[in-house]
Amino acid sequence: MLDPALLPRAMSDAIRKLNPVTLLRNPVIFVTEVVSILVTVLAIHAALGSETWGFQAGIALWLWFTVLFATFAESVAEGRGRARAESLRKARSDAQAKVLSRADDRSTWELRNATELRVGDHVLIEPGDIVPSDGEVVGGIASVNEAAVTGESAPVIRESGGDRSAVTGGTTVVSDWIVVKITAAPGSTFIDRMIALVEGASRQKTPNEIALDILLAGMTIIFLIAVASVVGLASWNGTPPSVPVLAALLVTLIPTTIGGLLSAIGIAGMDRLVRFNVMATSGRAVEAAGDVDVLLLDKTGTITLGNRQAAGFYPILGVAERDLAEAAVLSSLADETPEGRSILAFARDRHGITPPPIPANANVVPFTAQTRISGLDLPSGQYRKGAADSLIRSTGQEAPAALRDAVDRIARQGGTPLAVAKDGRLLGAIELKDVVKPGIRERFVQLRSMGIRTVMVTGDNRLTAAAIATEAGVDDFIAEATPQDKLQYIRDAQAEGRLVAMAGDGTNDAPALAQADVGVAMQTGTQAAREAGNMVDLDSDPTKLIEVVEIGKQLLITRGALTTFSIANDVAKYFAILPAIFVLQYPQLQALNVMRLASPESAILAAVIFNALIIVALVPLALRGVRYTPSGAAALLRRNLLIYGLGGIVAPFIGIKLIDLVLQLLGIA
């Protein structure tokens, strides 16, 4: 959790953050630094005046450690995101761009540095070229390697129109060509924004953080007044406490623990998303994810496997089902997709057909976005399979009625039909059926226990949608969904006071993504979708929406747990410091010295030391986060109070007593 490689940089950053101007945004730690400066000045004055100064210097030293440990916690959290920023920075391109004078003329272009591109420029990108900036494909189709951004080495198809038209600067065209219209000015590309976010440069405080800051500032003011009243009380008895003692009392009573860790908790929450390959445009989005109570989930790829499985062979009249199965197998031999592998498995299970090895003289016909057909040319014939309408057109024949009936029946049942042909003769159809993901029903039960309502969104008809919804165990579904349906559902839920999360990738998803409290756009989606959402999933896995909600809840639970601990551990400090201050005036207060601390000086110094050390001790927990287990709000509250409330009371008693014993052994008490 505390990577040794990060510590030197974190320590130097922590020292730089001691600047009072920087600390002004953290009122608790700012007050602690002001008190540290005051006690340091008094200790130096005492030393120069030949007065006893060791006790004052000890308090001043540990007050400075309190401030330093707080800035160190924030610096370590920022350092964990810096590594990801460096990998993104490497993806930024200073390549030369082929700027076209006319978007429809690829023959005339001029080389220009990527940093000189402007919004609206059209650039030609060919195999081996790096995409110079973010943009929209307006011409051509190409395979693009996006590993520099997503970490996934498998190329993806980018083409004009539709939901696969957005390209990201720093990615590489592998094959074919595309013409891209630049949509981002230099310095404001997707990668630039992500670098700023993961480094914390543009991190703004979230509403919850601001509210907690106000609460902590209020508590600090209250304790300032309380400490000032102590002066009057003690002065009335003729023996006012020294300024260093009052400073120690103030710093140990104000909530320095959560004040020192609050920023680190927020940064670490965003960092956990980054490590999950999800980029949040703000900490507010992460917090909102923790409060979400309605999840809109696309059926395909989220609730169902997405990699459709073969479920049936439908031959036309005059063709045996086994003959269709054999042709389907031969057309799928070179198909490495999950769908292609499932056809081979289904034919083997249903007809005992063992896929033969691909002959050396075979000609593989790969699937392309234009043809939507794949297959194999063998000495025994030319075998093809593909989208029904595309394959029918390629044969130049009128589709037999039996084939059209089969294609329509498969489609009505929510499946995907593929046609199969041999030597240009149509043989029948294959049914591909999506399968509900194993374990997804149990996940929805967990979400329901957390008070989250799950809604499946699908373009299927109501009968198919209802069947899948029942099998998956979702609470509701939207069948034959249009973009307007999604948007209206979100608005209706928000009108009831609910927070809604959804994932999307298309331009038609943009209004709903913008309306949702948490909108997770897919990296492979359109520019409009990525700009509308407040999170971007670099892996383009809509299933992550569930994990994003859990990470948000973990952030809120961690902040709540450590706030509870911070307030609770003040109790032990009352028993340590108050008897030490007033024991001479009021000997009866010795009864409060339940820890049997060695002396008033030892009690005060032990409390100050514990106050500093507890911050650095809790840094790993702040970065890792409190473990989240799906349960109701009441159960979470009980666990929070039991572990962090009771633990916050007990731990300081033990810690302060142990420090007191060490001080005695060192002869400092």
Side-chain angles (χ1 to χ4, degrees):
M1 187 58 61
L2 292 177
D3 187 350
L6 300 177
L7 299 185
R9 171 73 182 271
M11 184 56 68
S12 64
D13 287 347
I15 294 173
R16 282 196 293 271
K17 289 176 182 288
L18 294 177
N19 184 340
V21 176
T22 303
L23 286 181
L24 267 174
R25 58 192 178 90
N26 190 332
V28 176
I29 303 304
F30 175 74
V31 168
T32 305
E33 184 175 49
V34 171
V35 171
S36 304
I37 295 172
L38 175 61
V39 177
T40 301
V41 170
L42 292 175
I44 294 173
H45 181 268
L48 294 176
S50 300
E51 301 174 17
T52 302
W53 57 273
F55 177 64
Q56 297 182 46
I59 291 179
L61 177 65
W62 283 100
L63 290 180
W64 278 114
F65 274 135
T66 303
V67 179
L68 186 63
F69 289 157
T71 57
F72 176 74
E74 183 177 22
S75 298
V76 170
E78 290 174 348
R80 282 156 52 87
R82 197 171 288 119
R84 173 61 174 165
E86 288 301 323
S87 67
L88 286 171
R89 190 172 280 109
K90 291 176 183 177
R92 280 200 301 200
S93 170
D94 291 328
Q96 297 291 307
K98 301 171 183 174
V99 182
L100 298 173
S101 55
R102 288 173 46 198
D104 58 352
D105 182 7
R106 290 188 289 135
S107 62
T108 306
W109 48 263
E110 64 169 334
L111 280 177
R112 192 183 302 173
N113 194 287
T115 58
E116 299 173 355
L117 293 175
R118 295 293 176 264
V119 174
D121 285 345
H122 290 83
V123 298
L124 172 65
I125 309 173
E126 297 177 302
D129 290 348
I130 295 175
V131 177
S133 184
D134 296 355
E136 290 277 346
V137 179
V138 295
I141 181 172
S143 295
V144 180
N145 185 338
E146 298 185 338
V149 175
T150 66
E152 175 57 55
S153 59
V156 295
I157 297 296
R158 290 287 175 261
E159 59 184 333
S160 59
D163 295 341
R164 298 185 298 178
S165 60
V167 290
T168 304
T171 57
T172 305
V173 169
V174 178
S175 67
D176 301 304
W177 59 270
I178 48 176
V179 173
V180 173
K181 180 181 180 180
I182 301 300
T183 58
S188 61
T189 65
F190 176 76
I191 289 181
D192 290 320
R193 297 198 305 271
M194 292 306 103
I195 290 172
L197 286 168
V198 299
E199 285 187 327
S202 62
R203 197 184 92 86
Q204 302 294 319
K205 285 191 175 184
T206 66
N208 282 353
E209 282 182 298
I210 293 171
L212 190 52
D213 267 343
I214 294 172
L215 172 64
L216 298 182
M219 293 179 67
T220 301
I221 293 171
I222 291 171
F223 282 120
L224 271 170
I225 296 171
V227 170
S229 67
V230 167
V231 177
L233 181 63
S235 298
W236 176 77
N237 205 40
T239 53
S242 66
V243 172
V245 170
L246 291 173
L249 175 63
L250 174 64
V251 171
T252 53
L253 294 185
I254 63 178
T256 50
T257 304
I258 187 61
L261 296 173
L262 184 58
S263 181
I265 293 169
I267 295 172
M270 293 189 69
D271 181 62
R272 280 192 290 276
L273 274 182
V274 170
R275 291 172 182 272
F276 212 62
N277 246 14
V278 176
M279 296 292 184
T281 58
S282 68
R284 183 172 186 169
V286 186
E287 281 189 352
D291 286 330
V292 156
D293 46 16
V294 176
L295 277 183
L296 260 63
L297 302 166
D298 275 337
K299 182 201 77 172
T300 304
T302 306
I303 294 174
T304 59
L305 287 174
N307 53 339
R308 298 158 298 185
Q309 306 290 302
F313 293 124
Y314 298 87
I316 64 174
L317 293 176
V319 177
E321 182 176 326
R322 183 179 178 86
D323 292 339
L324 171 61
E326 289 177 347
V329 166
L330 293 174
S331 66
S332 304
L333 285 180
D335 187 350
E336 296 295 335
T337 65
E339 290 90 342
R341 300 300 91 188
S342 76
I343 291 171
L344 301 183
F346 185 73
R348 182 178 60 247
D349 295 341
R350 183 152 181 159
H351 293 285
I353 300 172
T354 301
I358 300 177
N361 60 348
N363 176 45
V364 176
V365 179
F367 177 88
T368 67
Q370 295 100 327
T371 64
R372 299 199 301 164
I373 296 171
S374 63
L376 206 62
D377 291 340
L378 299 170
S380 58
Q382 296 178 337
Y383 299 89
R384 300 286 187 272
K385 77 168 191 302
D389 56 344
S390 297
L391 190 60
I392 291 170
R393 277 198 307 271
S394 73
T395 63
Q397 303 174 20
E398 184 70 25
L403 178 59
R404 290 202 175 278
D405 290 343
V407 168
D408 291 343
R409 184 166 62 253
I410 293 169
R412 283 196 304 269
Q413 294 173 351
T416 300
L418 296 180
V420 180
K422 176 184 178 183
D423 295 331
R425 178 195 173 205
L426 294 166
L427 302 179
I430 307 170
E431 178 187 5
L432 297 181
K433 185 178 181 181
D434 228 345
V435 178
V436 172
K437 289 183 176 179
I440 196 71
R441 188 180 185 88
E442 289 72 20
R443 292 292 298 275
F444 291 150
V445 170
Q446 290 179 339
L447 290 171
R448 196 172 296 113
S449 71
M450 294 154 49
I452 296 176
R453 178 181 177 82
T454 53
V455 181
M456 182 185 77
V457 181
T458 177
D460 293 337
N461 60 63
R462 289 192 61 82
L463 291 176
T464 302
I468 295 176
T470 302
E471 184 181 355
V474 296
D475 298 308
D476 197 4
F477 65 89
I478 307 174
E480 299 174 344
T482 65
Q484 291 76 18
D485 293 333
K486 295 181 187 179
L487 183 60
Q488 190 58 48
Y489 193 99
I490 293 172
R491 287 174 174 169
D492 291 344
Q494 290 172 333
E496 297 172 0
R498 299 177 178 273
L499 269 67
V500 183
M502 72 160 288
D505 60 359
T507 299
N508 60 358
D509 290 325
L513 286 170
Q515 182 69 34
D517 300 281
V518 178
V520 183
M522 302 295 105
Q523 165 65 14
T524 56
T526 63
Q527 188 76 14
R530 293 192 304 188
E531 290 178 354
N534 50 22
M535 293 187 186
V536 177
D537 177 16
L538 300 183
D539 294 331
S540 300
D541 178 7
T543 308
K544 281 189 186 175
L545 189 57
I546 298 173
E547 279 74 17
V548 166
V549 170
E550 293 181 350
I551 289 173
K553 288 189 176 294
Q554 185 183 35
L555 169 65
L556 297 181
I557 290 170
T558 301
R559 185 182 296 152
L562 292 183
T563 301
T564 303
F565 184 92
S566 178
I567 295 173
N569 73 23
D570 283 343
V571 174
K573 298 166 192 174
Y574 289 113
F575 286 89
I577 292 186
L578 290 180
I581 294 176
F582 293 108
V583 71
L584 295 179
Q585 297 94 329
Y586 306 102
Q588 300 89 340
L589 287 178
Q590 184 63 28
L592 294 178
N593 186 13
V594 295
M595 290 178 276
R596 296 294 181 260
L597 302 177
S599 66
E601 291 80 5
S602 174
I604 294 169
L605 193 54
V608 172
I609 293 174
F610 176 83
N611 198 62
L613 293 180
I614 195 63
I615 294 177
V616 75
L618 290 174
V619 168
L621 180 61
L623 299 182
R624 183 181 67 250
V626 174
R627 183 178 179 184
Y628 172 69
T629 52
S631 56
L636 288 174
L637 179 61
R638 284 195 302 269
R639 189 186 71 171
N640 192 16
L641 293 176
L642 180 63
I643 298 177
Y644 298 98
L646 183 59
I649 294 174
V650 173
F653 279 94
I654 299 172
I656 291 174
K657 179 59 179 177
L658 290 175
I659 294 171
D660 177 70
L661 293 174
V662 172
L663 293 176
Q664 291 181 59
L665 290 174
L666 296 176
I668 299 175

mmCIF file of all heavy atoms in Angstrom, residues 472-498:
data_model
loop_
_atom_site.group_PDB
_atom_site.id
_atom_site.type_symbol
_atom_site.label_atom_id
_atom_site.label_comp_id
_atom_site.label_asym_id
_atom_site.label_seq_id
_atom_site.Cartn_x
_atom_site.Cartn_y
_atom_site.Cartn_z
ATOM 1 N N ALA A 472 -32.850 -13.038 -14.819
ATOM 2 C CA ALA A 472 -31.726 -12.324 -14.213
ATOM 3 C C ALA A 472 -32.053 -11.803 -12.822
ATOM 4 O O ALA A 472 -31.147 -11.582 -12.018
ATOM 5 C CB ALA A 472 -31.313 -11.161 -15.114
ATOM 6 N N GLY A 473 -33.338 -11.585 -12.546
ATOM 7 C CA GLY A 473 -33.723 -11.107 -11.221
ATOM 8 C C GLY A 473 -33.656 -9.607 -11.050
ATOM 9 O O GLY A 473 -33.468 -9.120 -9.932
ATOM 10 N N VAL A 474 -33.798 -8.840 -12.150
ATOM 11 C CA VAL A 474 -33.804 -7.378 -12.017
ATOM 12 C C VAL A 474 -35.166 -6.924 -11.489
ATOM 13 O O VAL A 474 -36.155 -7.655 -11.550
ATOM 14 C CB VAL A 474 -33.499 -6.684 -13.362
ATOM 15 C CG1 VAL A 474 -32.103 -7.024 -13.832
ATOM 16 C CG2 VAL A 474 -34.526 -7.059 -14.424
ATOM 17 N N ASP A 475 -35.196 -5.704 -10.973
ATOM 18 C CA ASP A 475 -36.428 -5.196 -10.378
ATOM 19 C C ASP A 475 -37.400 -4.649 -11.414
ATOM 20 O O ASP A 475 -38.601 -4.614 -11.182
ATOM 21 C CB ASP A 475 -36.088 -4.084 -9.375
ATOM 22 C CG ASP A 475 -35.237 -4.601 -8.231
ATOM 23 O OD1 ASP A 475 -35.635 -5.596 -7.608
ATOM 24 O OD2 ASP A 475 -34.174 -4.016 -7.967
ATOM 25 N N ASP A 476 -36.869 -4.170 -12.541
ATOM 26 C CA ASP A 476 -37.734 -3.575 -13.559
ATOM 27 C C ASP A 476 -37.012 -3.653 -14.899
ATOM 28 O O ASP A 476 -35.810 -3.961 -14.947
ATOM 29 C CB ASP A 476 -38.045 -2.121 -13.202
ATOM 30 C CG ASP A 476 -39.242 -1.564 -13.979
ATOM 31 O OD1 ASP A 476 -39.868 -2.342 -14.736
ATOM 32 O OD2 ASP A 476 -39.528 -0.368 -13.826
ATOM 33 N N PHE A 477 -37.718 -3.384 -15.977
ATOM 34 C CA PHE A 477 -37.072 -3.367 -17.290
ATOM 35 C C PHE A 477 -37.756 -2.353 -18.187
ATOM 36 O O PHE A 477 -38.919 -1.993 -17.975
ATOM 37 C CB PHE A 477 -37.088 -4.761 -17.946
ATOM 38 C CG PHE A 477 -38.466 -5.272 -18.273
ATOM 39 C CD1 PHE A 477 -39.065 -4.989 -19.499
ATOM 40 C CD2 PHE A 477 -39.156 -6.063 -17.362
ATOM 41 C CE1 PHE A 477 -40.323 -5.456 -19.800
ATOM 42 C CE2 PHE A 477 -40.423 -6.543 -17.662
ATOM 43 C CZ PHE A 477 -41.009 -6.241 -18.877
ATOM 44 N N ILE A 478 -36.990 -1.871 -19.169
ATOM 45 C CA ILE A 478 -37.525 -0.996 -20.210
ATOM 46 C C ILE A 478 -37.345 -1.730 -21.527
ATOM 47 O O ILE A 478 -36.215 -1.926 -21.986
ATOM 48 C CB ILE A 478 -36.782 0.358 -20.253
ATOM 49 C CG1 ILE A 478 -36.766 1.013 -18.868
ATOM 50 C CG2 ILE A 478 -37.428 1.287 -21.267
ATOM 51 C CD1 ILE A 478 -35.920 2.271 -18.819
ATOM 52 N N ALA A 479 -38.444 -2.183 -22.124
ATOM 53 C CA ALA A 479 -38.387 -2.941 -23.379
ATOM 54 C C ALA A 479 -38.536 -1.995 -24.570
ATOM 55 O O ALA A 479 -39.117 -0.911 -24.455
ATOM 56 C CB ALA A 479 -39.487 -3.996 -23.400
ATOM 57 N N GLU A 480 -37.983 -2.439 -25.703
ATOM 58 C CA GLU A 480 -38.035 -1.650 -26.939
ATOM 59 C C GLU A 480 -37.622 -0.209 -26.649
ATOM 60 O O GLU A 480 -38.260 0.762 -27.083
ATOM 61 C CB GLU A 480 -39.443 -1.715 -27.541
ATOM 62 C CG GLU A 480 -39.864 -3.148 -27.896
ATOM 63 C CD GLU A 480 -41.305 -3.243 -28.364
ATOM 64 O OE1 GLU A 480 -42.050 -2.276 -28.122
ATOM 65 O OE2 GLU A 480 -41.676 -4.258 -28.969
ATOM 66 N N ALA A 481 -36.533 -0.097 -25.887
ATOM 67 C CA ALA A 481 -36.127 1.202 -25.347
ATOM 68 C C ALA A 481 -35.605 2.123 -26.431
ATOM 69 O O ALA A 481 -34.839 1.717 -27.305
ATOM 70 C CB ALA A 481 -35.070 1.007 -24.272
ATOM 71 N N THR A 482 -36.005 3.357 -26.362
ATOM 72 C CA THR A 482 -35.466 4.426 -27.205
ATOM 73 C C THR A 482 -34.679 5.381 -26.300
ATOM 74 O O THR A 482 -34.829 5.355 -25.067
ATOM 75 C CB THR A 482 -36.594 5.202 -27.896
ATOM 76 O OG1 THR A 482 -37.375 5.873 -26.885
ATOM 77 C CG2 THR A 482 -37.490 4.256 -28.680
ATOM 78 N N PRO A 483 -33.829 6.228 -26.882
ATOM 79 C CA PRO A 483 -33.117 7.208 -26.049
ATOM 80 C C PRO A 483 -34.065 8.070 -25.223
ATOM 81 O O PRO A 483 -33.763 8.411 -24.077
ATOM 82 C CB PRO A 483 -32.361 8.042 -27.087
ATOM 83 C CG PRO A 483 -32.156 7.118 -28.251
ATOM 84 C CD PRO A 483 -33.383 6.264 -28.288
ATOM 85 N N GLN A 484 -35.218 8.406 -25.781
ATOM 86 C CA GLN A 484 -36.182 9.215 -25.042
ATOM 87 C C GLN A 484 -36.740 8.456 -23.840
ATOM 88 O O GLN A 484 -36.993 9.047 -22.783
ATOM 89 C CB GLN A 484 -37.336 9.636 -25.968
ATOM 90 C CG GLN A 484 -36.951 10.630 -27.062
ATOM 91 C CD GLN A 484 -36.179 9.970 -28.208
ATOM 92 O OE1 GLN A 484 -36.200 8.735 -28.369
ATOM 93 N NE2 GLN A 484 -35.490 10.783 -28.996
ATOM 94 N N ASP A 485 -36.910 7.117 -23.998
ATOM 95 C CA ASP A 485 -37.409 6.300 -22.885
ATOM 96 C C ASP A 485 -36.421 6.313 -21.719
ATOM 97 O O ASP A 485 -36.814 6.447 -20.554
ATOM 98 C CB ASP A 485 -37.642 4.860 -23.344
ATOM 99 C CG ASP A 485 -38.778 4.747 -24.347
ATOM 100 O OD1 ASP A 485 -39.680 5.604 -24.314
ATOM 101 O OD2 ASP A 485 -38.743 3.811 -25.171
ATOM 102 N N LYS A 486 -35.119 6.164 -22.038
ATOM 103 C CA LYS A 486 -34.101 6.180 -20.982
ATOM 104 C C LYS A 486 -34.101 7.520 -20.258
ATOM 105 O O LYS A 486 -34.078 7.585 -19.023
ATOM 106 C CB LYS A 486 -32.713 5.927 -21.581
ATOM 107 C CG LYS A 486 -32.503 4.571 -22.206
ATOM 108 C CD LYS A 486 -31.077 4.470 -22.734
ATOM 109 C CE LYS A 486 -30.856 3.194 -23.513
ATOM 110 N NZ LYS A 486 -29.465 3.095 -24.046
ATOM 111 N N LEU A 487 -34.119 8.587 -21.043
ATOM 112 C CA LEU A 487 -34.065 9.926 -20.456
ATOM 113 C C LEU A 487 -35.272 10.175 -19.555
ATOM 114 O O LEU A 487 -35.134 10.702 -18.438
ATOM 115 C CB LEU A 487 -34.010 10.966 -21.573
ATOM 116 C CG LEU A 487 -33.870 12.430 -21.145
ATOM 117 C CD1 LEU A 487 -32.595 12.633 -20.352
ATOM 118 C CD2 LEU A 487 -33.881 13.335 -22.384
ATOM 119 N N GLN A 488 -36.455 9.781 -20.010
ATOM 120 C CA GLN A 488 -37.664 10.013 -19.229
ATOM 121 C C GLN A 488 -37.657 9.181 -17.948
ATOM 122 O O GLN A 488 -38.080 9.658 -16.888
ATOM 123 C CB GLN A 488 -38.907 9.678 -20.067
ATOM 124 C CG GLN A 488 -40.220 10.112 -19.417
ATOM 125 C CD GLN A 488 -40.257 11.607 -19.138
ATOM 126 O OE1 GLN A 488 -39.937 12.420 -20.000
ATOM 127 N NE2 GLN A 488 -40.617 11.973 -17.915
ATOM 128 N N TYR A 489 -37.154 7.945 -18.027
ATOM 129 C CA TYR A 489 -37.097 7.096 -16.834
ATOM 130 C C TYR A 489 -36.187 7.725 -15.779
ATOM 131 O O TYR A 489 -36.508 7.750 -14.585
ATOM 132 C CB TYR A 489 -36.594 5.695 -17.200
ATOM 133 C CG TYR A 489 -36.792 4.675 -16.112
ATOM 134 C CD1 TYR A 489 -37.870 3.804 -16.148
ATOM 135 C CD2 TYR A 489 -35.918 4.587 -15.028
ATOM 136 C CE1 TYR A 489 -38.073 2.869 -15.136
ATOM 137 C CE2 TYR A 489 -36.113 3.658 -14.018
ATOM 138 C CZ TYR A 489 -37.188 2.797 -14.082
ATOM 139 O OH TYR A 489 -37.389 1.892 -13.069
ATOM 140 N N ILE A 490 -35.046 8.250 -16.232
ATOM 141 C CA ILE A 490 -34.104 8.882 -15.301
ATOM 142 C C ILE A 490 -34.734 10.107 -14.652
ATOM 143 O O ILE A 490 -34.649 10.311 -13.437
ATOM 144 C CB ILE A 490 -32.798 9.265 -16.033
ATOM 145 C CG1 ILE A 490 -32.057 8.000 -16.469
ATOM 146 C CG2 ILE A 490 -31.904 10.115 -15.136
ATOM 147 C CD1 ILE A 490 -30.857 8.273 -17.357
ATOM 148 N N ARG A 491 -35.393 10.924 -15.452
ATOM 149 C CA ARG A 491 -36.038 12.129 -14.909
ATOM 150 C C ARG A 491 -37.125 11.779 -13.898
ATOM 151 O O ARG A 491 -37.255 12.430 -12.858
ATOM 152 C CB ARG A 491 -36.620 12.962 -16.047
ATOM 153 C CG ARG A 491 -35.560 13.695 -16.876
ATOM 154 C CD ARG A 491 -36.171 14.394 -18.067
ATOM 155 N NE ARG A 491 -35.176 15.213 -18.770
ATOM 156 C CZ ARG A 491 -35.375 15.765 -19.955
ATOM 157 N NH1 ARG A 491 -36.536 15.575 -20.589
ATOM 158 N NH2 ARG A 491 -34.432 16.497 -20.528
ATOM 159 N N ASP A 492 -37.909 10.747 -14.212
ATOM 160 C CA ASP A 492 -38.976 10.337 -13.288
ATOM 161 C C ASP A 492 -38.389 9.852 -11.967
ATOM 162 O O ASP A 492 -38.906 10.176 -10.887
ATOM 163 C CB ASP A 492 -39.830 9.233 -13.924
ATOM 164 C CG ASP A 492 -40.654 9.747 -15.100
ATOM 165 O OD1 ASP A 492 -40.804 10.980 -15.232
ATOM 166 O OD2 ASP A 492 -41.120 8.905 -15.897
ATOM 167 N N ALA A 493 -37.306 9.064 -12.046
ATOM 168 C CA ALA A 493 -36.677 8.556 -10.822
ATOM 169 C C ALA A 493 -36.083 9.696 -10.004
ATOM 170 O O ALA A 493 -36.202 9.725 -8.769
ATOM 171 C CB ALA A 493 -35.590 7.535 -11.176
ATOM 172 N N GLN A 494 -35.446 10.648 -10.675
ATOM 173 C CA GLN A 494 -34.864 11.787 -9.958
ATOM 174 C C GLN A 494 -35.948 12.661 -9.335
ATOM 175 O O GLN A 494 -35.732 13.248 -8.264
ATOM 176 C CB GLN A 494 -33.986 12.596 -10.908
ATOM 177 C CG GLN A 494 -32.702 11.871 -11.307
ATOM 178 C CD GLN A 494 -31.939 12.585 -12.398
ATOM 179 O OE1 GLN A 494 -32.518 13.315 -13.205
ATOM 180 N NE2 GLN A 494 -30.631 12.368 -12.457
ATOM 181 N N ALA A 495 -37.099 12.749 -9.980
ATOM 182 C CA ALA A 495 -38.208 13.523 -9.414
ATOM 183 C C ALA A 495 -38.701 12.908 -8.113
ATOM 184 O O ALA A 495 -39.273 13.608 -7.265
ATOM 185 C CB ALA A 495 -39.355 13.606 -10.427
ATOM 186 N N GLU A 496 -38.467 11.618 -7.932
ATOM 187 C CA GLU A 496 -38.839 10.929 -6.695
ATOM 188 C C GLU A 496 -37.729 11.010 -5.641
ATOM 189 O O GLU A 496 -37.825 10.391 -4.583
ATOM 190 C CB GLU A 496 -39.143 9.454 -6.996
ATOM 191 C CG GLU A 496 -40.326 9.248 -7.921
ATOM 192 C CD GLU A 496 -40.475 7.790 -8.342
ATOM 193 O OE1 GLU A 496 -39.643 6.961 -7.897
ATOM 194 O OE2 GLU A 496 -41.408 7.479 -9.105
ATOM 195 N N GLY A 497 -36.663 11.758 -5.960
ATOM 196 C CA GLY A 497 -35.575 11.926 -5.003
ATOM 197 C C GLY A 497 -34.512 10.851 -5.079
ATOM 198 O O GLY A 497 -33.685 10.719 -4.175
ATOM 199 N N ARG A 498 -34.498 10.080 -6.164
ATOM 200 C CA ARG A 498 -33.509 9.014 -6.315
ATOM 201 C C ARG A 498 -32.303 9.494 -7.114
ATOM 202 O O ARG A 498 -32.414 10.403 -7.937
ATOM 203 C CB ARG A 498 -34.135 7.796 -7.013
ATOM 204 C CG ARG A 498 -35.290 7.169 -6.254
ATOM 205 C CD ARG A 498 -35.907 6.023 -7.046
ATOM 206 N NE ARG A 498 -36.992 5.378 -6.331
ATOM 207 C CZ ARG A 498 -36.833 4.374 -5.463
ATOM 208 N NH1 ARG A 498 -35.620 3.911 -5.216
ATOM 209 N NH2 ARG A 498 -37.870 3.849 -4.854
#
